Amino acid sequence: MTIQRPKGTQDLLPGTVEQWQYLEETMRSVCRDYGYDEIRTPMFEATELFQRGVGQTTDIVNKEMYTFLDKGDRSMTLRPELTASVCRAYVENKLYGQPQPVKLFYIGPMFRYERPQSGRFRQFHQFGVEVLGADQAVVDAEVISLVWDLYRRLGLTQLEVHVNSVGCPVCRTKHRALLQEFLSTRREELCKDCGDRYDRNPLRILDCKNATCQAVTIGAPTTRDTLCEDCSTHFGRVLGLLGVAGVVYRVNPRLVRGLDYYTKTAFEVMVEEIGAQSAICGGGRYDGLVEEIGGPPTPGFGFAMGLERILAALQVKHLLPEEKPKLFAMLVALGEKAQTEGFSLLSALRTHELPVSMDLLSRSLKAQLKAADRLGARYALILGEEELEKKVLVIRDLTLGEQIEVPLNQAVEEIHKMYQRGVNA
RNA sequence: GUGGGUGUGGCGAAGUGGUUAACGCACCGGUUUGUGGUACCGGCAUUCGUGGGUUCAAGACCCAUCACCCACCCCA
């Protein structure tokens, strides 16, 4: 094998693609029911969009972007996430001039230059929702319950929904300062990573997996302690509405999200049993983002979920639908004359939109029947020398092992009738 | 970027220095000329990721290299 696919990418082959289609259809139907419309934006954008939109301090921008210069020396980047793009599209297409809020969803590939591992790819796929132009707590609650509802429809239970409020920029700065002050005396005890995090992003120390860091942070000021009145009221309202919608959640004061743009509500959904990368959905409110990228001040709320990880969860929990046979009948033709006649018969059947197929290797009768069986065809339509002479077609029921002869000139009509019966049964 | 693991036919997998590289699945063909799914028979790796080295002798030992997997970081 000489040329291989790029690291961290995958070929989705028949058998797997059907699972993706099932997942995507379920996502689309939930969105339709909730009144969200699909948006499709470019696979790549000006690098600056992500630098400003996602944030200069984030790992995504610092070390994970697929960036290249195009032939006009413009710096372009394959999209690592879509919230920034959707906001850009909102501004660029003046969607703020339409009835507000604008409720959008997307499904598509994202790109991040990382070392692949279980549940992590360089090209991966996200489904996401963004609501722009409404700062009400109901928005937060509606979007989170949409997520909840999707999982319910997929049969995914026993997952954890973590909710928190990281506050507005004011409470956030306050919290950060308090936290650094709290940790300052015990900074030596922190692990190496947390030492780095102390200056860069002290909030992350709160959810470090290291046991000693966990111990050090006991009693540390949480985001909740520093919320201003507005943020606090908002958060309370969100939780109340989630309760009304029947969403089972857990307030996790240590939940912080890695992207710079989050304000107020942040949430995450985790599933065990799919490896170390257990977050299958993450999102929250981002009231400053649209303005940050040059648009009018516009509140926003959204999330992204990873299709690969959800599929992994559905897999281990055996929640993926079984593949159904797609073929109704298989033409078995023997000899060139029969093949010609059969080809004509198939064409006729196909104009009626019947799922029918034929042997393409001119194999023996036996081999063709075997193939028909493998492909899960219900009927084999046998046409050989004898049948041509008698001007008949043998229709063999492969599940019953019985066969009948019908006049060739009535075959299309007969098969069509059988198909209708099968569909209605 | 760091650490660990693995690399034998389409897939799974024996083999731990010595003649022709097990086996299972899949695939293809056959079991008297035109009837599948079961059974039986046969076929299917001049070769063990790649390149060097040690040795009379290497898939097995050593070195390098590449690829994949897992974990950290971070995230979907």
Side-chain angles (χ1 to χ4, degrees), chain A residues 18-37:
Chain A
E18 289 76 2
Q19 301 175 347
W20 282 73
Q21 289 169 340
Y22 159 73
L23 220 208
E24 290 168 13
E25 277 159 24
T26 308
M27 289 167 164
R28 289 203 159 84
S29 79
V30 173
C31 285
R32 192 179 52 239
D33 295 348
Y34 276 73
Y36 287 71
D37 297 312

Side-chain angles (χ1 to χ4, degrees), chain A residues 21 24 87 134 160 189 224 234 242 253 272 337 348 353 400:
Chain A
Q21 289 169 340
E24 290 168 13
C87 290
E160 296 180 26
E189 297 171 51
R224 211 170 184 184
H234 183 94
L242 286 180
E272 300 305 320
K337 270 183 74 182
E353 300 182 12
L400 299 177

Side-chain angles (χ1 to χ4, degrees), chain A residues 256-330:
Chain A
V256 284
R257 310 242 57 245
L259 280 46
D260 283 359
Y261 52 60
Y262 285 112
T263 56
K264 295 186 176 170
T265 312
F267 76 104
E268 207 162 89
V269 183
M270 331 264 246
V271 177
E272 300 305 320
E273 332 159 87
I274 58 167
Q277 308 307 318
S278 58
I280 55 175
C281 175
R285 179 161 282 285
Y286 47 87
D287 288 345
L289 180 55
V290 174
E291 195 173 2
E292 173 64 36
I293 62 167
T298 309
F301 189 94
F303 68 79
M305 66 173 78
L307 301 220
E308 283 84 356
R309 292 184 187 176
I310 294 185
L311 247 5
L314 292 173
Q315 190 103 53
V316 299
K317 291 166 186 292
H318 307 289
L319 291 170
L320 288 165
E322 269 181 47
E323 207 182 329
K324 298 176 203 108
K326 303 161 199 163
L327 207 55
F328 178 67
M330 178 90 168

Side-chain angles (χ1 to χ4, degrees), chain A residues 73-120:
Chain A
D73 277 335
R74 288 167 287 246
S75 180
M76 295 291 162
T77 296
L78 297 182
R79 60 192 201 187
E81 59 112 52
L82 219 58
T83 302
S85 298
V86 170
C87 290
R88 194 224 79 231
Y90 176 85
V91 174
E92 186 167 342
N93 298 286
K94 301 183 171 54
L95 299 187
Y96 46 77
Q98 293 187 2
Q100 301 296 295
V102 173
K103 307 200 299 179
L104 302 166
F105 79 92
Y106 58 82
I107 300 177
M110 307 294 157
F111 308 84
R112 263 126 89 160
Y113 192 89
E114 299 183 89
R115 284 287 280 270
Q117 70 182 71
S118 175
R120 168 182 293 150

